[in-house]
Amino acid sequence: MKIGIVGLGLIGGCLGLDLRQAGHTVIGVSRRQSTCEAAIEKGAVEAASMSLDSLKMTEVVIVCTPINALLPTVEALAQVLPPETVITDVGSVKDAIVTTATRSWPNFVGGHPMAGKAESGIDAAELGLFEGRPYVITPLPETKPTAVDKVVDIATTLEAQIQFADPATHDKAVAWISHLPVMISASLIQACVQESDSTVKVLAQTLASSGFRDTSRVGGGNPELGVMMAQNNREALLLGLKNYRQVLDQLTQVIETEDWEHLSTLLTATQSGRVDFV
Amino acid sequence: MKIGIVGLGLIGGCLGLDLRQAGHTVIGVSRRQSTCEAAIEKGAVEAASMSLDSLKMTEVVIVCTPINALLPTVEALAQVLPPETVITDVGSVKDAIVTTATRSWPNFVGGHPMAGKAESGIDAAELGLFEGRPYVITPLPETKPTAVDKVVDIATTLEAQIQFADPATHDKAVAWISHLPVMISASLIQACVQESDSTVKVLAQTLASSGFRDTSRVGGGNPELGVMMAQNNREALLLGLKNYRQVLDQLTQVIETEDWEHLSTLLTATQSGRVDFV
């Protein structure tokens, strides 16, 4: 298959490496000439340029830009591609993307390969990043099965675990397990930072250990990514925050009223409930 | 020095191993004969029995029982020890313990060596657990410097990082970095478990990855430990929860009003603020 990749960062680069190793022809597009050269050098693409015109002959184009650039990229591709080309994306939210993108391009199929690493950019690309990891495909009822099949082929090549979900279900699920954790973790850090008694704060900084480190990790991550999550998955995230706050208030009340039996029941439920998630 | 250890679990066992290796004589006491035998076998103690009377000739007794048994153990020791013996503990909260224990035993010095591992019990004991880890010592204004010195000697032998704090400051600091994380992490799990749309919940369970795993880790831990934290450090924890909720509400409002610039400022502050804690 001849495949186009727009956006040659970590995800685009990793896709290119895997797809080329499987025998596909991969053409890249980046906003920067230096990235095009790095991607060719790395072996992630056969050829790369700054022009979407170079993708005219591809069967599938995978849009791997930052999430805020996804829709403008699909719009731009719609001006140059023949209508039979399938466009898919790798964005971490789907509802806002898929409906609009499908309107611009009926052969659009939403996708979300869920893999990553701490480093970003083409230099961090490696083979096998998606192996064994979830790849969520989010077709609409009107999406053509032949278009979906192309994305299934790609995910199968990557040896990813394919999951189907409607876009809204996907967004609610990732709000729970990815976006909400960022916000509650960031709030923990912020609450600690705001401690007004400097003796307490300095001691807390000295004593913080693995418990604090793990709980605060995602809240101390890339702020731009956090803002993009909130912008693009706002409703599902707000619903998650609302439900979370209710649980937190209930737990606080249990501690306030010293209802230790209830607290024990609650913490026993969370201990066993977590097992289904990790 | 002749040192007594009451409670031969992970912490008591690790203390025994290190103190014996440094040339001290260590006598253990446990509620169970089988634990006494295991501790002797392990080399954590020279001798062990179920009777506190065996500690009459020691200079320092370290109480390593679960936190709810600390004060009763100090009371019982007060009936058998000569008044010059120093009693110290390893409890993870200090205010409620230190004031009462000092009333029963003026030569009491609060301590909190902050180290642990996933496994518990004497079988998990190992050399060097406290090396480089914080050891908080929490004397009251009236605590005799000679008594404090004995605990400093022990912490120095363990090659731990000694920190001095008054008991209330210690409790507020550990509420921030240890007890509050447990409660906000447990609330995350509970909120996810309560998702009523089973399709969303099952997808969330399937997609949950390192972000959810880390943020939920301490909330999925030992429920008894969580209850003991809340029981024994209730006031500091409630204050932490109150401040945390204010921050969470502010962050939620920022997302509700789509004030992305403010969210970016907030997440940039948490990214840099975390660095001082980890």
Side-chain angles (χ1 to χ4, degrees), chain A residues 214 217 234 245 256, chain B residues 176 214 217 234 245 256:
Chain A
D214 284 0
R217 184 175 67 80
R234 183 172 162 273
R245 200 189 117 155
E256 258 167 6
Chain B
W176 280 127
D214 284 1
R217 184 176 65 81
R234 182 172 162 273
R245 201 189 116 154
E256 258 167 7

Side-chain angles (χ1 to χ4, degrees), chain A residues 180-194:
Chain A
L180 182 64
V182 168
M183 300 307 159
I184 71 166
S185 174
S187 298
L188 171 66
I189 302 170
Q190 184 66 5
C192 291
V193 165
Q194 285 179 5

